[in-house]
Amino acid sequence: MTKLLITFLLLVVALFPGAAVRSSSPEANMPGVAELQKMKARFAPVEITVDISKLPAGEKGALIKMVKAAYIMDALFLRQAWAGNEDLLLQLLKNKSALGQARLHYFLINKGPWSALDSNKSFIPGVPDKPEGANFYPSDATKQEVEDWLKSLPDSERNRAAGFFTTLRRPESGGKGFVAVPYSLEYQGELELAAGLLREAASLTAQPSLKAYLSSRAQAFSSNDYYDSDVAWMELNATIEPTIGPYEVYADEWFNAKAAFEGFITIRDEAETAKLEKLSSELQDVEDHLPVDSAYRNPKLGGLAPIRVVNEILAAGDANHGVQTAAFNLPNDDRIVKEKGAKRVMLKNVQEAKFRLVLMPLSRIALSAADQKRVSFDAFFSHIMMHELMHGLGPHEIHIGGRTSTVRQELKEIYSTIEEAKADISGLFALRYLVDKGVIDKNLEQTMYDTFLASAFRSIRFGLTEAHARGIAIQINYLLDYGAFIAKPDGTFAVNHSKVKEGVAALTTEIVTLEGQGNHEKAKELIGRLSVVRPEIQRVLDRLKNIPIDIEPRFATAERLLAE
Ligand code: ZN
């Protein structure tokens, strides 16, 4: 675990002590040292580094300020997740026994005393069940009480009270009901500290769009109005790409309404950005050659949502607990999404770490010996990139018997599963098309299918609970039935290179056509038949038990910067 992280947490916790929380759950049945080690081993430790040698001195100076500001998000998120976290952390730090240290380490991975990979069961005695409303609402409130109170408010007040950037607290005078406290007040001390650092960073950088984001975000920390800085984030075009502030709403399990603090400090990947531009410039040609009736192709693609490929220096707060984020879409403010769209940020070095520590070991179990050699990070990352781009291709607005609709409206509850499968399979189709056209490296033809096969096992490893995994199951079973993938007698899987190109095109035809027809019935049939885990696949999944689930990053470059 990182000493610097703890130093920072201690500093912020000592400056701004949170409320003490009494908890009363029993000591029994808590995991011991050995059990905690096993739980922790599911996260493979890895050093996350970025080459920043090309940054000019001023930019590097700005970067250090941003890293410091991001570390403050760690302390803020701890308090947002649970009011008792800060006191508990201080207690854990004092306990030098093996058990105390093991608990501290796993606490830092989870940013709290509940294990995300074990249905949020607590692993430290004396803590309550994980509060679903986190610390955004008073600990004695119920979901129903909050709902009723919000309903009783006039519209303008309700929007503020139910919005991203307020907590609900009991009135100081006592009594019933709540008051909505703006984040700028609730977290005033930390946010002033962070704003100061962002202003210093803004004064050090020579890049105008970065200066604009940093200054407007610093302003937002005190005004509690994040609109301008969200717009500035969309317009950010700089070698350093920071994302810092209150963003995702998943920590509020009651209403998905309150934003949790996080920080991603990243450096733009110039080589991948160039590759992305090359791929983007080919998209109309790919669309024109989709293996479907021309009625389902779009003769003029609209503007594409921006995508950034970056390398992570530091992830903090909500961005660094449990399973690590490998890509994200922001902002969540609908006004900005309507006006400017949303931006997708792909964290390449995080993807690479997951590839090396999870996907490679997994491929040595799931794939035949010959196929293992064809699993490559370049193919893995190229396909993820193409997947994102392909969401913009194919049918979106569609015409059914004289009426205009959308694929989403027609496919309803199964839309996401079909759309994820479309992006995957047509992404493979597009990569092969561009290899054959001579636009991208010929090597990919040898590696992309095996890499996809290995990554399919990673996606369905934890069941078909979300759209992407369900979409993957459709593809793997379709390609097995087609003879494009082969289940070997020894229990491993392989690609049939003489049939895979044809199989991928055939499934692309099937899925893009049913989207173009808005054919809910056929989509449902396809999912019912193929979105399943068959016994031969389950047998491989059973053998993956000791492969790590994710990574535990240590941000070596960030630590080095702070030590300078
Ligand atoms: Zn997708």
Side-chain angles (χ1 to χ4, degrees):
M1 82 199 80
T2 72
K3 275 213 179 80
L4 270 158
L5 162 68
I6 295 172
T7 313
F8 247 87
L9 279 173
L10 276 179
L11 174 75
V12 178
V13 168
L15 283 173
F16 311 103
V21 164
R22 233 173 272 280
S23 48
S24 54
S25 75
E27 168 95 34
N29 296 332
M30 287 298 141
V33 177
E35 182 65 17
L36 282 168
Q37 300 292 4
K38 244 166 80 188
M39 291 160 82
K40 188 187 68 160
R42 294 174 295 180
F43 298 91
V46 62
E47 281 204 355
I48 299 286
T49 58
V50 186
D51 177 11
I52 50 167
S53 58
K54 289 196 184 77
L55 279 186
E59 301 304 320
K60 199 171 148 196
L63 183 62
I64 293 173
K65 302 291 181 190
M66 286 179 236
V67 165
K68 286 185 177 165
Y71 270 120
I72 294 172
M73 302 299 119
D74 267 333
L76 281 178
F77 176 71
L78 265 190
R79 187 175 325 145
Q80 286 186 306
W82 180 44
N85 265 339
E86 288 157 298
D87 284 347
L88 180 57
L89 174 62
L90 292 172
Q91 277 176 36
L92 289 171
L93 284 162
K94 282 185 208 137
N95 185 341
K96 300 293 177 201
S97 70
L99 182 59
Q101 294 295 298
R103 282 175 176 165
L104 171 63
H105 194 149
Y106 203 54
F107 174 95
L108 290 172
I109 287 179
N110 284 281
K111 292 270 168 65
W114 303 283
S115 175
L117 292 185
D118 305 290
S119 318
N120 288 322
K121 255 178 71 177
S122 79
F123 54 89
I124 294 175
V127 304
D129 287 342
K130 186 169 185 284
E132 288 184 355
N135 187 20
F136 299 114
Y137 310 95
S139 57
D140 66 344
T142 64
K143 186 179 174 188
Q144 189 63 50
E145 187 191 4
V146 173
E147 256 169 3
D148 292 343
W149 180 76
L150 287 171
K151 265 185 221 148
S152 75
L153 298 176
D155 282 356
S156 60
E157 268 181 63
R158 188 186 318 118
N159 288 342
R160 203 176 78 89
F164 291 130
F165 311 120
T166 54
T167 59
L168 298 193
R169 299 290 176 237
R170 295 293 185 193
E172 255 174 52
S173 54
K176 288 254 162 223
F178 306 96
V179 283
V181 182
Y183 281 8
S184 52
L185 196 61
E186 173 88 42
Y187 309 111
Q188 188 172 21
E190 290 91 342
L191 288 180
E192 273 175 12
L193 212 61
L197 288 162
L198 294 187
R199 279 193 201 99
E200 285 181 65
S203 70
L204 288 166
T205 178
Q207 305 184 77
S209 69
L210 180 56
K211 209 182 266 287
Y213 172 66
L214 293 168
S215 345
S216 59
R217 183 48 43 121
Q219 177 66 29
F221 283 165
S222 57
S223 70
N224 215 45
D225 180 354
Y226 286 83
Y227 181 85
D228 288 345
S229 54
D230 273 345
V231 171
W233 184 79
M234 284 302 295
E235 290 168 351
L236 197 53
N237 183 16
T239 53
I240 307 173
E241 170 105 11
T243 303
I244 181 166
Y247 280 104
E248 303 289 3
V249 294
Y250 305 114
D252 172 5
E253 291 174 45
W254 272 354
F255 302 106
N256 278 181
K258 304 299 177 190
F261 284 98
E262 67 180 9
F264 290 100
I265 306 302
T266 71
I267 302 287
R268 188 167 66 195
D269 189 307
E270 303 297 347
E272 293 297 335
T273 300
K275 198 154 113 193
L276 184 65
E277 269 163 28
K278 192 158 93 175
L279 292 179
S280 303
S281 69
E282 293 288 338
L283 291 179
Q284 184 66 58
D285 189 49
V286 170
E287 176 83 19
D288 296 343
H289 289 88
L290 283 176
V292 291
D293 192 293
S294 62
Y296 305 131
R297 298 189 198 128
N298 185 348
K300 196 166 185 322
L301 291 176
L304 290 163
I307 300 181
R308 297 274 186 275
V309 184
V310 300
N311 290 300
E312 188 171 281
I313 298 253
L314 176 68
D318 193 24
N320 180 16
H321 60 97
V323 171
Q324 292 292 309
T325 302
F328 57 90
N329 264 317
L330 285 172
N332 288 324
D333 185 336
D334 286 331
R335 293 173 301 169
I336 295 158
V337 174
K338 235 187 214 147
E339 291 158 27
K340 296 235 149 211
K343 182 163 83 181
R344 181 137 186 102
V345 179
M346 298 171 67
L347 303 158
K348 188 189 165 196
N349 58 346
V350 177
Q351 305 257 19
E352 196 276 333
K354 289 179 186 240
F355 172 86
R356 190 157 39 85
L357 293 159
V358 181
L359 193 62
M360 285 303 283
L362 180 155
S363 76
R364 287 193 276 274
I365 289 175
L367 266 53
S368 79
D371 286 61
Q372 287 165 30
K373 295 197 190 88
R374 288 192 285 262
V375 176
S376 93
F377 178 66
D378 186 41
F380 179 71
F381 197 69
S382 298
H383 184 247
I384 295 176
M385 227 182 222
M386 209 65 217
H387 170 113
E388 295 305 333
L389 294 170
M390 293 310 289
H391 276 309
L393 273 65
H396 290 92
E397 194 181 88
I398 55 175
H399 306 279
I400 309 164
R403 109 192 129 82
T404 300
S405 183
T406 63
V407 179
R408 187 191 290 273
Q409 269 167 25
E410 297 303 316
L411 297 188
K412 300 183 209 61
E413 82 289 357
I414 49 177
Y415 168 74
S416 301
T417 299
I418 296 294
E419 177 59 24
E420 290 306 322
K422 179 205 91 176
D424 270 341
I425 198 74
S426 68
L428 276 183
F429 169 86
L431 284 179
R432 182 59 186 266
Y433 173 77
L434 295 174
V435 165
D436 293 345
K437 195 183 166 187
V439 174
I440 46 181
D441 198 300
K442 184 100 176 112
N443 279 333
L444 220 62
E445 180 190 315
Q446 286 303 312
T447 55
M448 56 191 262
Y449 302 113
D450 283 292
T451 306
F452 176 74
L453 179 56
S455 130
F457 285 102
R458 189 187 70 136
S459 303
I460 57 174
R461 191 173 164 195
F462 303 107
L464 306 183
T465 51
E466 48 88 42
H468 191 246
R470 285 196 288 268
I472 281 284
I474 295 176
Q475 298 169 77
I476 195 169
N477 287 320
Y478 183 97
L479 294 170
L480 279 166
D481 293 345
Y482 199 93
F485 290 159
I486 301 159
K488 299 215 152 188
D490 67 359
T492 63
F493 284 74
V495 173
N496 178 356
H497 282 265
S498 65
K499 281 192 101 166
V500 73
K501 177 181 171 181
E502 195 188 300
V504 166
L507 183 54
T508 302
T509 304
E510 190 152 339
I511 290 183
V512 176
T513 302
L514 75 81
E515 281 202 346
Q517 295 169 338
N519 196 332
H520 184 270
E521 202 180 318
K522 200 160 172 210
K524 215 169 165 172
E525 184 277 326
L526 191 74
I527 290 173
R529 183 160 48 88
L530 296 175
S531 194
V532 293
V533 176
R534 293 175 179 169
E536 61 268 36
I537 304 237
Q538 187 57 51
R539 276 196 288 276
V540 173
L541 299 179
D542 290 342
R543 302 208 317 269
L544 300 177
K545 293 226 157 64
N546 294 324
I547 304 291
I549 288 167
D550 201 55
I551 53 169
E552 181 196 359
R554 177 180 171 161
F555 297 103
T557 303
E559 288 181 19
R560 216 171 321 118
L561 278 170
L562 283 195
E564 274 182 23

